[in-house]
Amino acid sequence: MPLPTIALLLTASFSLGALPLTEWAVRVFGRRDLRALGTGNVGVSAAFIHGGKLAGIAAVLVEIARGIVPVLAGRFCFPDAPAIAIALLIPLVAGRYAIARGGGVTNAVWGLLVFSPSVAVSSGIWGLLAWALAQRWWGEGDRARLFASRCGCLCTPIWVWVWRQSMPEFLAATGLALLLAAINFSQGDDMALSKSEQLFSLDDSLDAAICGDKAAKLSQLKRANFNVPNGWILLNESGLGPGAWGIGHLENGEELSIPNSLIQNLKSKIQNRMIVRSSAAGEDGDTSSAAGQYQTIGAVFTEAELLDAINRCRQSYWTSEAVAYRRQRQLPDTQMAVLIQPYIDSQIAGVMFSRNPLDGGSQIIIEALPGGAESVVGGQVTPVHLEIDFSTPESLEESLSEFENNSIFDKSIIANLVKQAQAIEAFFHGIPQDIEWSWDGGKVWILQSRPITNLQPFWTRTIAAEVIPGAIRPLTWSINRPLTCGVWGEIFQVVLGDRAIGLNFNETATLLGSHAYFNATLLGEIFRMMGLPEQGLEFLLRGQKMGKPPLGKILPSLPGLWRLVERERALNAEFKGDRTSIFLPALQSLEKEEGRGKKEEGRGSSEEEILMPNAQCPMPEYQYLSELLEKAEQIQEWLKPITYYNILGPIGLAIRKAIFRVNDDWLANDSAPEIASVRALQQLAQKLRQAAVSQSGETVSVAHLAQTFSETPALQADFEKWLDIYGYLSEVGTDIAVPTWREQPEVYQKLLISMAQKAQINLLEKRKLGLSFGQKWRLDKCQERALVKNEISEIYARLLAHLRWTFLEIEACGLAMQVFQESGDIFYLEFGEIQQWIRSGASVSFKDTIRERRDRLLADRDRPIPPVVYGNLLPNSQKRAIELATSATNIIQGIPASIGRVEGFVKICRTASTDLGENAIAVVPYTDAGWAPLLLGATAIIAEVGGQLSHGAIIAREYKIPAVMNISEATTRLRDGQKVRVDGYLGTVELLE
């Protein structure tokens, strides 16, 4: 291999690359100097962008020729050493970059195509695949394009090895690839720069980070067929010249140089008057509005006025007031895009809020004046103020009727505005909107829409209503909130990793009106971080189904999701280990401490029994109180791991059921406490009836059953055993303020007698499912988890029962010491207050605090509790009686929970101890394990909250009772004795009278 020839070819290649062929082509055909334009690169893309199509084509042709020549020369001179042909491209590209100021990609691509078409095509396909993946990851944009270009370069050596199997060729291709990648990283991007000098339209899909939230939201609305005027967006980099990448601070009235072609282009698009509006990053955003901080200029007509208006609008970004606003809101100084639209000659204009901006109530607020909307938002004139209540169809129609003879506009315009406000809020996934509008005499135009920033965060009863339903006392909340928030925070941190930094998981839940709410704003942000679809927020705010997550958005969360999957898969084994090492010893120690640890003859194993100690204080001293406090603190330490299992277990079961397509009816829930307790009580009722029938015949009265029970020690012992085993249950398993079954034996003795009075007691028999082999295999993947979930629920409830009984002992001491006035007072204190009282040893009185909190709880029980609260204040809505007979429809839609169709009469049941009577349809505020005995006697179930996986739904399906969940305000909308038809398949309640 003659070295002089190789050296000559290398020198010639470098010299060929150094020739400014593209620069000459652009000078000849485009009469432009590429070195003085754009980024200063002299490449093919710059030739098209700055020189025009003819100059670009000429540049492509000369660069193709320049790339082919060295490869052909190398193959001709050294036919037995093809690696030299690739190696000659390296000095060519180096010369292009160092002297001719080009990138060399076109030369390399065509050189490789001549050298080996298979290598070039494979690299191109790989680059396209990388581009598609990058677009899913980052979205469409320059970042994805540059990533694909670099991937195409760097993968070339791999394809050389795949197709050629030659180490010299591989090394030459590696050197070329690294050089091209290094040049690509170091050079500016004319294509990206050109985008800053082009006009975007509101008909395009706009990136809020580039075009600002105002323009991006208007674009979304316009593309969704809302009445939005045409508009064009001028990005902040326009006309700044070479090297001016990013926004600068404009001093002393300095103006940006905007090309005349841009101004002329804008004027050609809008023939009449125009309005120039700011659209800065962070303006009209989810958490900051920047209202009034930046200038809007209109109307403008001439090109000179337009240029001046654009510069004035941009300069307003750097006023002292605007800068101070961004500092106060901790917003970075980024960029200001400018939105240019036709000026609407409005007859009436104004703003409207899709919800009451004070408390998020169900009122649309409209403020309007004749003329432009700026007079309304300017605050210098008092506008017409309208409030339209849309809480019910009747109230909406009544509100509209009140404005029949409005002095500014008629009812039809107001109705149109209300319709637009509700549609825009729904379009933005239920987020309340602040909307600027204009009416030109024929059409309502939407000029702006942004979130009502003070109505944040959003709080939702979705999920919370099932986790901890009803009005909640302070002690329950002070214990449950840190447990629940801590576990959810741990789960989200597993998935999000470092992205969870800055999220305050202590704000996951709160109490509003003594009812639990989850933070939909925080959860929505977490959903977005996890790549879940936008419908995630609608699921939280409106209970709608979530769509499938886009693959590209969920990819960054796959490692975290896999970590969560690994935890879920290990849950059974980990729980069994903790059950043996932590939970069973804990329960045994608690029972032993209460003098109930020994196994009693004929009463089952100690593991099955959990008995309530006497709520008495043997020694009302602070030493004894301190021991009780330590016991309460220890129980809470045990509750932390079981709460983790109690949250992750049901999530894992739900995921497994979805993956393996297992129906709820397939799962055996015999071990679930709510099922096992009812079955055991049914068996006892059957014994009682048999004993009574043997004495008096088939017909037995309640009095005779009660007498038989009182005269039969064996039945009493069996009932006491039932209470011993299931006495830890309550109406609300998560609320320690609610009495357990063990504390009110008379209620369940009465229920036992009521069951025994029925001529036929339907004991649940073992189900015989005709499942195929495949269905049995799928069921096996879920059944064990369902059994473990039931074990978890039992341990969780038993520990909470012991915690309640410990607080009852503390309260008994407090009553003896006159710290409390009556039974139940302790539950109106927070746990921290109890700790401070006992540890201080001081004589205290909580009388006023408890009275105030008790009164507040009683008031909150009777007030309507909205499913969603916007901000941190409950809407100030007046209590209303709903007359369903005059409603537009007599069918109420809920969630189908258990199939079947029943007609009957309503019985409102606000507590589980309500006397249901015979053949009644139970209407309940919520369902929990403690409601099981009551629900069993119902012919159908209607619940205000809950879904298909709620306790009430499980019980209903097990016992074939039709059930409908999620009927809002059912206990107040329906009345005792009202005849209804319940359809558990359609999920409807039809009012028959």
Side-chain angles (χ1 to χ4, degrees), residues 86 93 103-110 112 119-128 130-131 145-161 169-185 187:
I86 300 178
V93 171
V105 174
T106 305
N107 311 125
V109 167
W110 284 91
L112 286 172
V119 169
V121 171
S122 299
S123 298
I125 293 174
W126 183 257
L128 291 174
W131 194 1
R145 175 177 53 80
L146 292 172
F147 174 79
S149 175
R150 291 157 187 167
C151 284
C153 292
L154 293 174
C155 76
T156 298
I158 298 173
W159 292 113
V160 167
W161 181 260
E169 294 177 28
F170 173 78
L171 293 175
T174 301
L176 177 63
L178 292 175
L179 177 61
L180 289 170
I183 292 173
N184 188 276
F185 274 105
Q187 280 190 324

Short mmCIF file of all heavy atoms in Angstrom, two decimals, residues 86 93 103-110 112 119-128 130-131 145-161 169-185 187:
data_model
loop_
_atom_site.label_atom_id
_atom_site.label_comp_id
_atom_site.label_asym_id
_atom_site.label_seq_id
_atom_site.Cartn_x
_atom_site.Cartn_y
_atom_site.Cartn_z
N ILE A 86 -13.63 4.95 3.10
CA ILE A 86 -14.33 5.58 4.21
C ILE A 86 -13.43 6.58 4.91
O ILE A 86 -13.85 7.69 5.28
CB ILE A 86 -14.81 4.52 5.22
CG1 ILE A 86 -15.78 3.53 4.55
CG2 ILE A 86 -15.50 5.18 6.41
CD1 ILE A 86 -16.26 2.43 5.47
N VAL A 93 -14.68 15.90 5.63
CA VAL A 93 -15.60 16.51 6.60
C VAL A 93 -14.86 17.52 7.47
O VAL A 93 -15.38 18.60 7.79
CB VAL A 93 -16.26 15.42 7.47
CG1 VAL A 93 -17.05 16.04 8.62
CG2 VAL A 93 -17.17 14.54 6.61
N GLY A 103 -21.26 21.29 7.85
CA GLY A 103 -21.33 20.16 8.78
C GLY A 103 -20.84 18.86 8.22
O GLY A 103 -20.39 17.99 8.95
N GLY A 104 -20.94 18.66 6.91
CA GLY A 104 -20.41 17.46 6.28
C GLY A 104 -21.34 16.26 6.29
O GLY A 104 -20.96 15.20 5.79
N VAL A 105 -22.55 16.40 6.82
CA VAL A 105 -23.44 15.25 6.90
C VAL A 105 -23.87 14.80 5.51
O VAL A 105 -23.87 13.60 5.20
CB VAL A 105 -24.68 15.59 7.77
CG1 VAL A 105 -25.70 14.44 7.72
CG2 VAL A 105 -24.27 15.87 9.20
N THR A 106 -24.23 15.75 4.65
CA THR A 106 -24.64 15.39 3.28
C THR A 106 -23.52 14.67 2.55
O THR A 106 -23.75 13.67 1.85
CB THR A 106 -25.05 16.65 2.50
OG1 THR A 106 -26.06 17.34 3.23
CG2 THR A 106 -25.57 16.29 1.13
N ASN A 107 -22.28 15.17 2.70
CA ASN A 107 -21.13 14.50 2.06
C ASN A 107 -20.99 13.06 2.54
O ASN A 107 -20.82 12.13 1.73
CB ASN A 107 -19.84 15.25 2.36
CG ASN A 107 -19.96 16.74 2.11
OD1 ASN A 107 -19.69 17.54 3.00
ND2 ASN A 107 -20.38 17.14 0.91
N ALA A 108 -21.08 12.86 3.88
CA ALA A 108 -20.88 11.54 4.44
C ALA A 108 -21.98 10.58 4.02
O ALA A 108 -21.72 9.42 3.69
CB ALA A 108 -20.81 11.63 5.96
N VAL A 109 -23.24 11.07 4.01
CA VAL A 109 -24.36 10.20 3.66
C VAL A 109 -24.23 9.68 2.24
O VAL A 109 -24.37 8.48 1.98
CB VAL A 109 -25.69 10.96 3.85
CG1 VAL A 109 -26.84 10.19 3.20
CG2 VAL A 109 -25.97 11.17 5.33
N TRP A 110 -23.94 10.58 1.30
CA TRP A 110 -23.85 10.15 -0.09
C TRP A 110 -22.58 9.37 -0.36
O TRP A 110 -22.57 8.46 -1.20
CB TRP A 110 -23.96 11.35 -1.02
CG TRP A 110 -25.39 11.82 -1.10
CD1 TRP A 110 -25.99 12.75 -0.33
CD2 TRP A 110 -26.39 11.32 -1.98
NE1 TRP A 110 -27.32 12.88 -0.66
CE2 TRP A 110 -27.59 12.01 -1.70
CE3 TRP A 110 -26.39 10.38 -3.01
CZ2 TRP A 110 -28.77 11.77 -2.38
CZ3 TRP A 110 -27.57 10.15 -3.70
CH2 TRP A 110 -28.75 10.84 -3.38
N LEU A 112 -21.20 7.30 1.81
CA LEU A 112 -21.49 5.96 2.31
C LEU A 112 -22.47 5.23 1.41
O LEU A 112 -22.41 4.01 1.26
CB LEU A 112 -22.06 6.05 3.73
CG LEU A 112 -21.04 6.37 4.84
CD1 LEU A 112 -21.76 6.62 6.16
CD2 LEU A 112 -20.04 5.22 5.00
N VAL A 119 -25.38 -0.25 4.14
CA VAL A 119 -24.96 0.46 5.36
C VAL A 119 -25.70 1.80 5.46
O VAL A 119 -26.23 2.17 6.52
CB VAL A 119 -23.44 0.68 5.37
CG1 VAL A 119 -23.05 1.66 6.49
CG2 VAL A 119 -22.72 -0.64 5.54
N ALA A 120 -25.74 2.53 4.34
CA ALA A 120 -26.38 3.85 4.35
C ALA A 120 -27.87 3.74 4.64
O ALA A 120 -28.43 4.51 5.45
CB ALA A 120 -26.15 4.54 3.01
N VAL A 121 -28.55 2.78 3.99
CA VAL A 121 -29.99 2.63 4.20
C VAL A 121 -30.29 2.20 5.63
O VAL A 121 -31.22 2.70 6.28
CB VAL A 121 -30.58 1.63 3.19
CG1 VAL A 121 -32.02 1.30 3.53
CG2 VAL A 121 -30.49 2.20 1.77
N SER A 122 -29.50 1.26 6.17
CA SER A 122 -29.71 0.80 7.54
C SER A 122 -29.53 1.93 8.54
O SER A 122 -30.31 2.08 9.49
CB SER A 122 -28.74 -0.34 7.87
OG SER A 122 -28.94 -1.44 7.02
N SER A 123 -28.50 2.76 8.32
CA SER A 123 -28.28 3.90 9.21
C SER A 123 -29.43 4.89 9.13
O SER A 123 -29.86 5.45 10.14
CB SER A 123 -26.96 4.60 8.87
OG SER A 123 -25.87 3.72 9.04
N GLY A 124 -29.95 5.09 7.90
CA GLY A 124 -31.07 6.00 7.74
C GLY A 124 -32.32 5.50 8.44
O GLY A 124 -33.03 6.26 9.10
N ILE A 125 -32.60 4.19 8.30
CA ILE A 125 -33.77 3.62 8.96
C ILE A 125 -33.63 3.72 10.48
O ILE A 125 -34.57 4.06 11.20
CB ILE A 125 -33.96 2.15 8.53
CG1 ILE A 125 -34.34 2.08 7.04
CG2 ILE A 125 -35.01 1.46 9.40
CD1 ILE A 125 -34.40 0.68 6.49
N TRP A 126 -32.41 3.46 10.97
CA TRP A 126 -32.18 3.56 12.41
C TRP A 126 -32.40 5.00 12.90
O TRP A 126 -32.97 5.23 13.97
CB TRP A 126 -30.75 3.11 12.73
CG TRP A 126 -30.46 3.11 14.20
CD1 TRP A 126 -29.74 4.02 14.89
CD2 TRP A 126 -30.89 2.14 15.15
NE1 TRP A 126 -29.69 3.70 16.23
CE2 TRP A 126 -30.39 2.54 16.42
CE3 TRP A 126 -31.66 0.97 15.07
CZ2 TRP A 126 -30.63 1.82 17.58
CZ3 TRP A 126 -31.90 0.25 16.23
CH2 TRP A 126 -31.39 0.68 17.46
N GLY A 127 -31.97 5.96 12.10
CA GLY A 127 -32.19 7.35 12.46
C GLY A 127 -33.67 7.72 12.50
O GLY A 127 -34.11 8.45 13.39
N LEU A 128 -34.45 7.18 11.53
CA LEU A 128 -35.89 7.44 11.53
C LEU A 128 -36.58 6.82 12.75
O LEU A 128 -37.48 7.42 13.35
CB LEU A 128 -36.51 6.90 10.24
CG LEU A 128 -36.12 7.64 8.95
CD1 LEU A 128 -36.69 6.91 7.74
CD2 LEU A 128 -36.63 9.08 8.99
N ALA A 130 -35.15 6.26 15.63
CA ALA A 130 -34.75 7.09 16.78
C ALA A 130 -35.57 8.38 16.82
O ALA A 130 -35.94 8.87 17.90
CB ALA A 130 -33.26 7.41 16.69
N TRP A 131 -35.87 8.93 15.66
CA TRP A 131 -36.68 10.16 15.59
C TRP A 131 -38.10 9.90 16.11
O TRP A 131 -38.65 10.68 16.88
CB TRP A 131 -36.72 10.66 14.15
CG TRP A 131 -37.22 12.07 14.02
CD1 TRP A 131 -37.61 12.91 15.02
CD2 TRP A 131 -37.37 12.81 12.80
NE1 TRP A 131 -37.99 14.13 14.53
CE2 TRP A 131 -37.85 14.09 13.16
CE3 TRP A 131 -37.14 12.53 11.46
CZ2 TRP A 131 -38.12 15.08 12.21
CZ3 TRP A 131 -37.41 13.52 10.52
CH2 TRP A 131 -37.88 14.78 10.89
N ARG A 145 -35.36 15.95 16.52
CA ARG A 145 -34.69 15.89 15.21
C ARG A 145 -33.18 15.78 15.37
O ARG A 145 -32.53 14.96 14.70
CB ARG A 145 -35.05 17.14 14.40
CG ARG A 145 -34.33 17.27 13.07
CD ARG A 145 -34.80 18.49 12.30
NE ARG A 145 -34.73 19.70 13.09
CZ ARG A 145 -33.58 20.38 13.28
NH1 ARG A 145 -32.45 19.95 12.74
NH2 ARG A 145 -33.59 21.50 13.99
N LEU A 146 -32.60 16.58 16.26
CA LEU A 146 -31.15 16.53 16.47
C LEU A 146 -30.72 15.20 17.07
O LEU A 146 -29.67 14.65 16.73
CB LEU A 146 -30.72 17.69 17.37
CG LEU A 146 -30.84 19.09 16.75
CD1 LEU A 146 -30.56 20.15 17.80
CD2 LEU A 146 -29.89 19.24 15.57
N PHE A 147 -31.55 14.67 17.98
CA PHE A 147 -31.25 13.38 18.58
C PHE A 147 -31.20 12.29 17.51
O PHE A 147 -30.29 11.44 17.50
CB PHE A 147 -32.30 13.05 19.63
CG PHE A 147 -32.17 11.68 20.23
CD1 PHE A 147 -31.24 11.42 21.22
CD2 PHE A 147 -32.99 10.64 19.80
CE1 PHE A 147 -31.11 10.15 21.77
CE2 PHE A 147 -32.87 9.37 20.34
CZ PHE A 147 -31.92 9.12 21.32
N ALA A 148 -32.17 12.31 16.60
CA ALA A 148 -32.21 11.31 15.54
C ALA A 148 -31.00 11.43 14.62
O ALA A 148 -30.41 10.43 14.19
CB ALA A 148 -33.50 11.45 14.75
N SER A 149 -30.62 12.67 14.31
CA SER A 149 -29.46 12.89 13.44
C SER A 149 -28.18 12.33 14.06
O SER A 149 -27.38 11.68 13.39
CB SER A 149 -29.31 14.39 13.16
OG SER A 149 -28.14 14.65 12.43
N ARG A 150 -28.03 12.57 15.35
CA ARG A 150 -26.82 12.07 16.02
C ARG A 150 -26.83 10.55 16.15
O ARG A 150 -25.78 9.90 16.01
CB ARG A 150 -26.70 12.73 17.40
CG ARG A 150 -26.39 14.22 17.30
CD ARG A 150 -26.80 15.02 18.51
NE ARG A 150 -26.63 16.45 18.29
CZ ARG A 150 -27.13 17.40 19.07
NH1 ARG A 150 -27.84 17.06 20.14
NH2 ARG A 150 -26.94 18.67 18.79
N CYS A 151 -28.02 10.00 16.40
CA CYS A 151 -28.12 8.54 16.47
C CYS A 151 -27.78 7.91 15.13
O CYS A 151 -27.11 6.87 15.06
CB CYS A 151 -29.53 8.12 16.90
SG CYS A 151 -29.84 8.32 18.65
N GLY A 152 -28.25 8.53 14.03
CA GLY A 152 -27.94 8.01 12.70
C GLY A 152 -26.45 8.01 12.43
O GLY A 152 -25.91 7.07 11.82
N CYS A 153 -25.77 9.07 12.88
CA CYS A 153 -24.31 9.13 12.69
C CYS A 153 -23.59 8.06 13.52
O CYS A 153 -22.74 7.33 13.02
CB CYS A 153 -23.79 10.51 13.08
SG CYS A 153 -24.30 11.85 12.00
N LEU A 154 -23.95 7.98 14.80
CA LEU A 154 -23.22 7.12 15.72
C LEU A 154 -23.48 5.64 15.49
O LEU A 154 -22.66 4.80 15.88
CB LEU A 154 -23.58 7.48 17.16
CG LEU A 154 -23.09 8.87 17.62
CD1 LEU A 154 -23.63 9.20 19.00
CD2 LEU A 154 -21.56 8.93 17.63
N CYS A 155 -24.61 5.30 14.85
CA CYS A 155 -24.88 3.88 14.62
C CYS A 155 -24.23 3.36 13.35
O CYS A 155 -24.22 2.15 13.12
CB CYS A 155 -26.39 3.64 14.57
SG CYS A 155 -27.16 4.16 13.02
N THR A 156 -23.65 4.25 12.52
CA THR A 156 -23.06 3.83 11.24
C THR A 156 -21.98 2.75 11.43
O THR A 156 -21.97 1.76 10.68
CB THR A 156 -22.49 5.04 10.50
OG1 THR A 156 -23.56 5.95 10.22
CG2 THR A 156 -21.84 4.62 9.19
N PRO A 157 -21.06 2.90 12.39
CA PRO A 157 -20.05 1.83 12.56
C PRO A 157 -20.67 0.47 12.85
O PRO A 157 -20.13 -0.56 12.43
CB PRO A 157 -19.21 2.33 13.75
CG PRO A 157 -19.43 3.80 13.80
CD PRO A 157 -20.81 4.03 13.31
N ILE A 158 -21.78 0.48 13.59
CA ILE A 158 -22.42 -0.80 13.91
C ILE A 158 -22.89 -1.47 12.63
O ILE A 158 -22.69 -2.68 12.43
CB ILE A 158 -23.61 -0.56 14.86
CG1 ILE A 158 -23.12 0.04 16.18
CG2 ILE A 158 -24.38 -1.85 15.11
CD1 ILE A 158 -24.23 0.46 17.11
N TRP A 159 -23.52 -0.69 11.73
CA TRP A 159 -24.02 -1.28 10.48
C TRP A 159 -22.88 -1.66 9.54
O TRP A 159 -23.01 -2.61 8.76
CB TRP A 159 -24.98 -0.32 9.80
CG TRP A 159 -26.26 -0.16 10.58
CD1 TRP A 159 -26.70 0.95 11.21
CD2 TRP A 159 -27.22 -1.17 10.84
NE1 TRP A 159 -27.89 0.72 11.85
CE2 TRP A 159 -28.25 -0.60 11.63
CE3 TRP A 159 -27.34 -2.53 10.47
CZ2 TRP A 159 -29.34 -1.31 12.06
CZ3 TRP A 159 -28.45 -3.24 10.89
CH2 TRP A 159 -29.44 -2.64 11.68
N VAL A 160 -21.78 -0.93 9.61
CA VAL A 160 -20.59 -1.32 8.82
C VAL A 160 -20.12 -2.70 9.26
O VAL A 160 -19.78 -3.56 8.44
CB VAL A 160 -19.47 -0.28 8.98
CG1 VAL A 160 -18.15 -0.83 8.43
CG2 VAL A 160 -19.83 1.01 8.25
N TRP A 161 -20.12 -2.91 10.59
CA TRP A 161 -19.70 -4.22 11.09
C TRP A 161 -20.72 -5.31 10.73
O TRP A 161 -20.34 -6.42 10.37
CB TRP A 161 -19.52 -4.15 12.62
CG TRP A 161 -19.07 -5.45 13.20
CD1 TRP A 161 -19.82 -6.39 13.82
CD2 TRP A 161 -17.74 -5.98 13.15
NE1 TRP A 161 -19.06 -7.47 14.18
CE2 TRP A 161 -17.77 -7.25 13.78
CE3 TRP A 161 -16.54 -5.51 12.63
CZ2 TRP A 161 -16.65 -8.04 13.92
CZ3 TRP A 161 -15.41 -6.30 12.77
CH2 TRP A 161 -15.46 -7.55 13.41
N GLU A 169 -12.56 -1.28 8.28
CA GLU A 169 -13.70 -0.46 7.87
C GLU A 169 -14.49 0.04 9.09
O GLU A 169 -14.96 1.18 9.14
CB GLU A 169 -14.62 -1.26 6.94
CG GLU A 169 -13.98 -1.61 5.61
CD GLU A 169 -14.89 -2.46 4.74
OE1 GLU A 169 -16.12 -2.34 4.88
OE2 GLU A 169 -14.37 -3.24 3.91
N PHE A 170 -14.61 -0.83 10.10
CA PHE A 170 -15.31 -0.45 11.33
C PHE A 170 -14.60 0.71 12.02
O PHE A 170 -15.25 1.68 12.47
CB PHE A 170 -15.40 -1.65 12.27
CG PHE A 170 -15.96 -1.32 13.63
CD1 PHE A 170 -17.31 -1.16 13.83
CD2 PHE A 170 -15.09 -1.19 14.72
CE1 PHE A 170 -17.81 -0.85 15.08
CE2 PHE A 170 -15.59 -0.87 15.97
CZ PHE A 170 -16.95 -0.71 16.16
N LEU A 171 -13.28 0.65 12.10
CA LEU A 171 -12.52 1.71 12.77
C LEU A 171 -12.62 3.02 11.99
O LEU A 171 -12.75 4.10 12.57
CB LEU A 171 -11.06 1.29 12.92
CG LEU A 171 -10.81 0.10 13.88
CD1 LEU A 171 -9.34 -0.30 13.86
CD2 LEU A 171 -11.25 0.47 15.30
N ALA A 172 -12.55 2.94 10.65
CA ALA A 172 -12.68 4.16 9.84
C ALA A 172 -14.06 4.78 10.00
O ALA A 172 -14.20 6.01 10.14
CB ALA A 172 -12.41 3.83 8.37
N ALA A 173 -15.10 3.92 9.99
CA ALA A 173 -16.46 4.43 10.16
C ALA A 173 -16.66 5.02 11.56
O ALA A 173 -17.37 6.02 11.73
CB ALA A 173 -17.47 3.29 9.93
N THR A 174 -16.01 4.45 12.57
CA THR A 174 -16.11 4.99 13.93
C THR A 174 -15.51 6.38 14.01
O THR A 174 -16.07 7.30 14.61
CB THR A 174 -15.41 4.05 14.93
OG1 THR A 174 -16.03 2.76 14.89
CG2 THR A 174 -15.49 4.61 16.34
N GLY A 175 -14.32 6.55 13.38
CA GLY A 175 -13.70 7.87 13.37
C GLY A 175 -14.58 8.90 12.68
O GLY A 175 -14.72 10.04 13.16
N LEU A 176 -15.19 8.53 11.55
CA LEU A 176 -16.07 9.44 10.82
C LEU A 176 -17.30 9.78 11.65
O LEU A 176 -17.72 10.95 11.73
CB LEU A 176 -16.49 8.79 9.49
CG LEU A 176 -17.48 9.59 8.63
CD1 LEU A 176 -16.87 10.92 8.19
CD2 LEU A 176 -17.90 8.76 7.41
N ALA A 177 -17.90 8.77 12.32
CA ALA A 177 -19.11 9.00 13.12
C ALA A 177 -18.85 9.94 14.28
O ALA A 177 -19.63 10.84 14.57
CB ALA A 177 -19.66 7.66 13.62
N LEU A 178 -17.72 9.73 14.96
CA LEU A 178 -17.41 10.59 16.11
C LEU A 178 -17.17 12.03 15.67
O LEU A 178 -17.57 12.98 16.35
CB LEU A 178 -16.18 10.04 16.85
CG LEU A 178 -16.38 8.70 17.57
CD1 LEU A 178 -15.06 8.20 18.15
CD2 LEU A 178 -17.43 8.84 18.67
N LEU A 179 -16.51 12.20 14.52
CA LEU A 179 -16.27 13.55 14.01
C LEU A 179 -17.58 14.24 13.66
O LEU A 179 -17.81 15.41 14.01
CB LEU A 179 -15.35 13.48 12.78
CG LEU A 179 -15.07 14.82 12.08
CD1 LEU A 179 -14.37 15.79 13.03
CD2 LEU A 179 -14.22 14.60 10.82
N LEU A 180 -18.47 13.53 12.96
CA LEU A 180 -19.76 14.12 12.60
C LEU A 180 -20.59 14.50 13.84
O LEU A 180 -21.22 15.55 13.89
CB LEU A 180 -20.56 13.15 11.73
CG LEU A 180 -20.05 12.94 10.30
CD1 LEU A 180 -20.77 11.77 9.64
CD2 LEU A 180 -20.23 14.20 9.48
N ALA A 181 -20.59 13.61 14.86
CA ALA A 181 -21.34 13.89 16.07
C ALA A 181 -20.78 15.10 16.80
O ALA A 181 -21.54 15.95 17.29
CB ALA A 181 -21.35 12.67 16.99
N ALA A 182 -19.44 15.19 16.86
CA ALA A 182 -18.82 16.33 17.54
C ALA A 182 -19.16 17.64 16.83
O ALA A 182 -19.45 18.66 17.47
CB ALA A 182 -17.31 16.13 17.60
N ILE A 183 -19.15 17.64 15.49
CA ILE A 183 -19.51 18.84 14.73
C ILE A 183 -20.97 19.19 14.97
O ILE A 183 -21.33 20.37 15.15
CB ILE A 183 -19.23 18.61 13.23
CG1 ILE A 183 -17.72 18.50 12.98
CG2 ILE A 183 -19.83 19.73 12.39
CD1 ILE A 183 -17.36 18.10 11.56
N ASN A 184 -21.84 18.18 14.99
CA ASN A 184 -23.26 18.41 15.20
C ASN A 184 -23.53 19.07 16.55
O ASN A 184 -24.37 19.95 16.68
CB ASN A 184 -24.02 17.08 15.10
CG ASN A 184 -25.52 17.27 15.10
OD1 ASN A 184 -26.12 17.37 16.15
ND2 ASN A 184 -26.11 17.28 13.90
N PHE A 185 -22.79 18.65 17.58
CA PHE A 185 -22.97 19.24 18.90
C PHE A 185 -22.46 20.67 18.96
O PHE A 185 -23.00 21.49 19.71
CB PHE A 185 -22.23 18.40 19.96
CG PHE A 185 -23.04 17.25 20.48
CD1 PHE A 185 -22.77 15.95 20.09
CD2 PHE A 185 -24.08 17.47 21.37
CE1 PHE A 185 -23.51 14.88 20.57
CE2 PHE A 185 -24.83 16.41 21.86
CZ PHE A 185 -24.55 15.11 21.47
N GLN A 187 -22.08 22.96 16.34
CA GLN A 187 -22.66 23.94 15.42
C GLN A 187 -24.04 24.42 15.87
O GLN A 187 -24.76 23.72 16.58
CB GLN A 187 -22.79 23.33 14.02
CG GLN A 187 -21.50 23.33 13.23
CD GLN A 187 -21.74 22.95 11.77
OE1 GLN A 187 -22.58 22.10 11.47
NE2 GLN A 187 -21.01 23.57 10.87
#
